Amino acid sequence: FSFQMQAQQVVATHAYMAASLSAVKHQAQQQALHHRQPLDFRSDTITKPSLEMRRVMAEAEVGDDILGDDPTVKALETAVANLLGKEAALFVPSGVMANQIAIHCHTKPGDEVVCAENSHVYYYESGAPALLSGVMMQLVKSNTGIFSVADLASVVRRPNIHFPRTSLVCVENTTNLGGGRVWPVKDLQDVAAWAHERGLKFHMDGARLWNATVYSGIVEKDYAACCDSVAVCFSKGLGAPIGSALAGDAEFIVRARRFRKLLGGGMRQAGIIAAGALYALEHNRPRLAEDHAVAWYFANELIKVPGIALDLKTVQTNIVCFALSTVNVATDVLVEKLKSEHNVLMNALADGMRIRAVISYEVSKEDAATAVHCIAHILANTPCAHHPAPPVMVKPQPQ
């Protein structure tokens, strides 16, 4: 009996030590997670300027841009206009401002603007077309953000005093909520030609146009040739801290400059931030191919995880949108668990159906592999909400 008691004590001691060691190990892992930088897949806007970019910004030659005296801003605007094959360009603080200036300059109050149902100008710009330009939005149904001439023709209104006047078509290249999809240049040209034949203006939100060029090998000016105006961004994958540009013909940019001033977007010694954008434009465009490669690796690993729904044909550039085929976890719950338990940041999309992961130079192949492992761990270890555990049977007690 004494020997049995001693054996039980030894077993209990070993179990206690193992449990304590496991708890210490888990605590150490959690501390390590919260001490390392988060793995940030929320957007390519999280990129930080490099030391060399910061140096160039600090040493930039500046002047008063509102008075037209800033040489660095002028150099940036000239470079953008040349890249896009346009007469002139305008430096602005944000992509939203670039798009909204274009809409304002191409329309009149009461007009209607046509765009894809998931386009940035409609979905993510705070109702600005209605507030700033007094226009309505007419939506083309498209999961990818890309549409055909037939799709466009089905929503453009014929002239009638009862209808708003359609005056502008907006496209997005690459498509954000479409998962970074690239417009085929022939489709873009066909849609633009159809719009122009009917007297409509054609604007391209090219915030990630650089990614489209890297993916397709088609230079930016060939995408832009059929467009009346093009907006591009420097603060996403290119890594500048701030700034976008709007390009078009000279007369259009004169009007755009005036509306920028009205919106409070005129800046004085803006050469400091323009220098970062110019550096990004000259040095960081080719490396976007690395982001695309990491996105492709991430997607290929992710589809191996049970419970993930993802069509690899949708992965073209640096954005991966995926859904959950399992009933275990809702998208917002997975995103929260990734953050709180693994220090991995992603965004659940507003449709409640998908999660978006965006690759930038802040995310390595190793980071992508870690994120896939974390997703797999959560999906495998979260009880199914729709299949509760069976009730515990309790033996009736005698009365």
Side-chain angles (χ1 to χ4, degrees), residues 49-348:
S50 65
L51 291 176
E52 180 62 17
M53 183 184 290
R54 290 171 185 262
R55 183 191 66 77
V56 169
M57 293 171 67
E59 297 174 0
E61 186 179 358
V62 299
D64 190 323
D65 181 49
I66 293 179
L67 299 179
D69 294 340
D70 194 301
T72 307
V73 172
K74 287 181 176 181
L76 173 64
E77 292 173 342
T78 298
V80 171
N82 290 338
L83 267 175
L84 299 178
K86 300 301 181 186
E87 292 179 355
L90 178 69
F91 184 47
V92 297
S94 72
V96 171
M97 185 177 288
N99 284 333
Q100 294 308 316
I101 290 173
I103 289 173
H104 185 83
C105 291
H106 287 314
T107 63
K108 295 178 180 178
D111 283 359
E112 190 166 70
V113 176
V114 178
C115 63
E117 62 185 339
N118 56 8
S119 62
H120 197 280
V121 294
Y122 169 72
Y123 214 89
Y124 284 130
E125 300 194 7
S126 305
L131 177 65
L132 300 176
S133 299
V135 296
M136 299 172 59
M137 305 299 286
Q138 175 69 278
L139 306 180
V140 180
K141 290 189 177 300
S142 171
N143 292 330
T144 64
I146 297 170
F147 49 87
S148 66
V149 169
D151 296 329
L152 179 60
S154 71
V155 300
V156 171
R157 300 177 192 263
R158 66 183 186 276
N160 188 302
I161 62 171
H162 299 90
F163 301 155
R165 182 182 75 101
T166 305
S167 58
L168 175 64
V169 177
C170 292
V171 296
E172 186 180 354
N173 193 22
T174 66
T175 63
N176 179 3
L177 293 183
R181 298 289 285 271
V182 177
W183 268 82
V185 70
K186 180 62 166 58
D187 293 356
L188 191 70
Q189 291 166 346
D190 289 346
V191 170
W194 189 93
H196 286 146
E197 287 168 4
R198 286 150 185 81
L200 311 181
K201 295 295 185 180
F202 197 76
H203 170 69
M204 180 164 65
D205 174 2
R208 294 184 176 90
L209 182 60
W210 325 116
N211 295 86
T213 286
V214 168
Y215 171 80
S216 68
I218 298 169
V219 296
E220 291 89 350
K221 66 173 57 179
D222 287 348
Y223 279 116
C226 61
C227 304
D228 297 292
S229 58
V230 182
V232 291
C233 182
F234 311 114
S235 62
K236 292 185 169 68
L238 295 190
I242 187 173
S244 289
L246 178 64
D249 64 40
E251 187 273 334
F252 170 81
I253 293 300
V254 168
R255 290 185 287 120
R257 192 176 296 276
R258 177 178 178 82
F259 195 55
R260 183 189 70 172
K261 175 65 176 174
L262 183 150
L263 292 175
M267 298 173 285
R268 298 296 180 178
Q269 285 69 41
I272 293 173
I273 54 175
L278 189 57
Y279 179 91
L281 204 60
E282 294 174 346
H283 294 87
N284 292 351
R285 283 153 55 222
R287 66 145 310 280
L288 293 175
E290 300 171 25
D291 297 343
H292 297 182
V294 174
W296 182 248
Y297 168 80
F298 174 74
N300 274 273
E301 293 301 305
L302 194 60
I303 61 170
K304 301 173 186 176
V305 177
I308 293 295
L310 171 62
D311 181 359
L312 284 178
K313 293 194 298 292
T314 65
V315 182
Q316 294 183 339
T317 55
N318 68 319
I319 299 176
V320 179
C321 292
F322 61 95
L324 303 179
S325 60
T326 176
V327 294
N328 290 32
V329 187
T331 55
D332 57 341
V333 173
L334 176 58
V335 166
E336 176 53 36
K337 283 179 173 288
L338 281 170
K339 179 181 179 180
S340 61
E341 298 177 9
H342 300 280
N343 211 12
V344 175
L345 308 180
M346 291 186 186
N347 277 336

Side-chain angles (χ1 to χ4, degrees), residues 28-64:
Q29 289 174 336
Q30 291 300 307
Q31 288 176 343
L33 277 175
H34 290 289
H35 277 89
R36 71 156 166 79
Q37 290 293 316
L39 305 184
D40 200 338
F41 296 79
R42 291 173 299 173
S43 179
D44 43 8
T45 60
I46 57 97
T47 50
K48 299 178 178 66
S50 65
L51 291 176
E52 180 62 17
M53 183 184 290
R54 290 171 185 262
R55 183 191 66 77
V56 169
M57 293 171 67
E59 297 174 0
E61 186 179 358
V62 299
D64 190 323

